[in-house]
């Protein structure tokens, strides 16, 4: 009997220890891990990095759309490469209005073709996309992080799902928080990932309402700095649908903390940028990184990218590994 009691006690002790260890263990998604291809395709990450570095060296403005491509993939059906698929009827995610300014799909194609020569049928397009996003930031001297791999590719793409799931530049803070929470991301992730607006461009149609008709009375957004608004009006006439605008003027090719300073000065380009000042938690993080000598933004960005990269992933036998990223097998 004494031996039985000791056995039971040991069992419960081990269960408690196991639970405690799980609390402090880094969270992950079953099937994803850093170095997933180390044995099956050991050169996979180097191959992807080569194509990204060559492309971004030739055209540094590619960094932002490559980062945004991964973000737009993950928020629609999860990180499973649906943004890469093309349909004959054009009803795919690529043709949704928020995705029309994405660029760099040929980089994904070229990297995937090289991977298929090196190790056919092993590396998924969704993992290529995750690696490309990280390598594009490194190529711009931005943050780096360890990318979990092991995703498989989805079989479906739908233009309406992109319209429903992608955060809008017109969103207020409540809508943004709700959308991010629906994907398992918190307020810190929201402001950190918004910091990706330190690179790249927006376009006039995304801010026309802020400049000319914010409340339907021919007025401008009162949360927009008046001098900045006047400068934007010189560049964007009410009917302008094409002019590109630097998200982070003077620094739009450099990944840094300057975005947070601009937003704090009411010079964020989008309504969704300005909205970060309307919540105490997002505002606190933003202001902390305006004049900080000990910024954690790069580290935090990597953490949030890993977290985002786990949204709705397909692993194991789910989905497939596409041979070409623009079509299912």
């Amino acid at each position: 009997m004494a031996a039985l009691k000791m056995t039971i006690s040991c069992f419960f002790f081990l269960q408690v220890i196991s639970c405690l260890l799980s609390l402090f263990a880094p969270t992950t998604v079953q099937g994803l891990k850093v170095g997933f291809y180390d044995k099956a395709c050991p050169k996979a990450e180097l191959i992807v990095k080569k194509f990204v570095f060559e492309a971004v060296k030739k055209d540094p403005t590619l960094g932002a759309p490559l980062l945004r491509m991964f973000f737009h993939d993950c928020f629609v059906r999860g990180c499973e490469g649906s943004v890469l698929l093309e349909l004959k009827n054009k009803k795919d995610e690529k043709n949704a209005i928020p995705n029309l300014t994405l660029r760099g799909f040929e980089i994904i194609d070229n990297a995937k073709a090289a991977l298929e020569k090196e190790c056919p049928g092993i590396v998924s397009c969704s993992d290529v996309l995750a690696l490309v996003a990280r390598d594009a930031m490194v190529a711009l001297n931005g943050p780096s992080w360890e990318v979990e791999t092991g995703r498989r590719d989805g079989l479906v793409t739908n233009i309406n799902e992109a319209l429903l799931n992608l955060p809008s530049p017109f969103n207020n803070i409540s809508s943004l928080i709700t959308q991010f929470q629906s994907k398992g991301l918190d307020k810190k992730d929201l402001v950190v990932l918004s910091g990706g607006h330190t690179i790249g461009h927006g376009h006039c149609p995304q801010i026309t309402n802020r400049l000319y008709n914010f409340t339907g009375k021919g007025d401008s957004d009162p949360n927009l700095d008046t001098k900045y608004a006047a400068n934007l009006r010189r560049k964007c006439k009410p009917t302008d649908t094409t002019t590109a605008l630097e998200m982070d003027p003077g620094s739009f090719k450099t990944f840094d903390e300057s975005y947070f300073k601009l937003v704090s000065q009411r010079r964020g380009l989008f309504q969704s940028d300005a909205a970060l000042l309307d919540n105490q938690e997002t505002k606190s993080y933003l202001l902390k990184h305006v004049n900080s000598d000990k910024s954690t933004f790069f580290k935090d960005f990597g953490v949030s990218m890993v977290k985002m990269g786990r949204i709705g992933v397909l692993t194991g036998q789910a989905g497939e590994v596409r041979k070409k990223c623009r079509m299912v097998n």
Side-chain angles (χ1 to χ4, degrees):
M1 181 64 72
L4 178 60
K5 286 183 178 180
M6 183 173 289
T7 299
I8 294 172
S9 297
C10 287
F11 173 78
F12 282 113
F13 176 75
L14 290 172
Q15 289 290 95
V16 170
I17 292 296
S18 176
C19 289
L20 289 172
L21 287 174
S22 68
L23 289 174
F24 296 101
T27 57
T28 187
V29 171
Q30 187 175 7
L32 292 187
K33 69 174 184 177
V34 174
F36 181 85
Y37 299 111
D38 283 354
K39 292 182 180 179
C41 191
K43 295 181 181 178
E45 295 198 21
L46 288 175
I47 289 171
V48 174
K49 181 179 179 180
K50 173 181 175 290
F51 282 96
V52 175
F53 272 50
E54 287 177 355
V56 175
K57 184 177 181 180
K58 291 178 183 177
D59 181 6
T61 66
L62 276 171
L66 289 173
L67 174 66
R68 196 156 58 95
M69 195 186 296
F70 183 52
F71 181 93
H72 284 209
D73 184 47
C74 290
F75 264 67
V76 184
R77 304 188 71 85
C79 311
E80 38 71 85
S82 56
V83 75
L84 303 173
L85 288 172
E86 295 178 351
L87 300 176
K88 290 181 179 179
N89 64 8
K90 304 295 183 182
K91 298 295 183 180
D92 46 59
E93 291 175 34
K94 268 188 184 180
N95 281 291
I97 290 174
N99 289 333
L100 293 178
T101 55
L102 293 180
R103 295 185 295 125
F105 291 103
E106 71 282 356
I107 299 169
I108 309 294
D109 294 336
N110 294 339
K112 175 61 173 173
L115 288 166
E116 284 298 301
K117 287 183 179 179
E118 178 72 21
C119 37
I122 299 297
V123 183
S124 68
C125 296
S126 47
D127 275 343
V128 172
L129 196 48
L131 292 167
V132 164
R134 188 269 311 275
D135 292 342
M137 296 307 95
V138 175
L140 293 175
N141 296 316
S144 181
W145 58 93
E146 289 190 314
V147 176
E148 295 175 342
T149 45
R151 299 169 189 80
R152 286 169 64 87
D153 299 321
L155 307 173
V156 176
T157 182
N158 186 303
I159 190 171
N160 294 321
E161 290 183 352
L163 295 170
L164 288 171
N165 285 280
L166 290 174
S168 164
F170 309 109
N171 278 359
N172 60 31
I173 192 63
S174 297
S175 297
L176 290 168
I177 290 171
T178 298
Q179 276 191 296
F180 272 67
Q181 286 179 339
S182 73
K183 306 299 179 183
L185 302 173
D186 58 27
K187 294 173 189 174
K188 182 178 180 181
D189 297 315
L190 165 59
V191 66
V192 169
L193 293 173
S194 295
H197 287 172
T198 184
I199 54 173
H201 293 87
H203 292 81
C204 288
Q206 297 167 315
I207 62 162
T208 301
N209 71 313
R210 295 194 80 193
L211 299 177
Y212 296 105
N213 198 29
F214 189 65
T215 64
K217 299 177 181 179
D219 56 347
S220 60
D221 184 351
N223 292 319
L224 190 60
D225 176 77
T226 54
K227 290 184 178 179
Y228 184 48
N231 182 43
L232 289 173
R233 275 191 288 269
R234 283 192 290 271
K235 296 178 179 179
C236 289
K237 301 307 176 186
T239 56
D240 190 332
T241 60
T242 57
T243 298
L245 303 162
E246 295 177 9
M247 297 288 295
D248 189 349
S251 179
F252 75 103
K253 294 181 184 178
T254 306
F255 198 104
D256 54 28
E257 294 90 350
S258 59
Y259 164 82
F260 297 119
K261 185 174 183 179
L262 287 173
V263 174
S264 74
Q265 296 170 337
R266 299 189 299 127
R267 293 190 170 205
L269 187 63
F270 296 152
Q271 191 175 336
S272 59
D273 295 319
L276 297 176
L277 295 173
D278 295 335
N279 174 271
Q280 190 54 49
E281 193 173 330
T282 56
K283 180 179 179 180
S284 175
Y285 182 93
L286 188 149
L287 295 179
K288 186 176 89 170
H289 288 78
V290 171
N291 295 308
S292 175
D293 294 329
K294 297 180 180 179
S295 173
T296 60
F297 174 48
F298 275 33
K299 176 175 176 283
D300 295 341
F301 192 81
V303 171
S304 291
M305 286 295 289
V306 170
K307 193 172 174 183
M308 185 181 75
R310 297 169 177 166
I311 298 173
V313 295
L314 303 176
T315 60
Q317 297 302 310
E320 65 180 13
V321 175
R322 289 181 214 143
K323 296 175 182 177
K324 294 184 178 181
C325 294
R326 295 176 188 248
M327 63 187 74
V328 298
N329 293 342

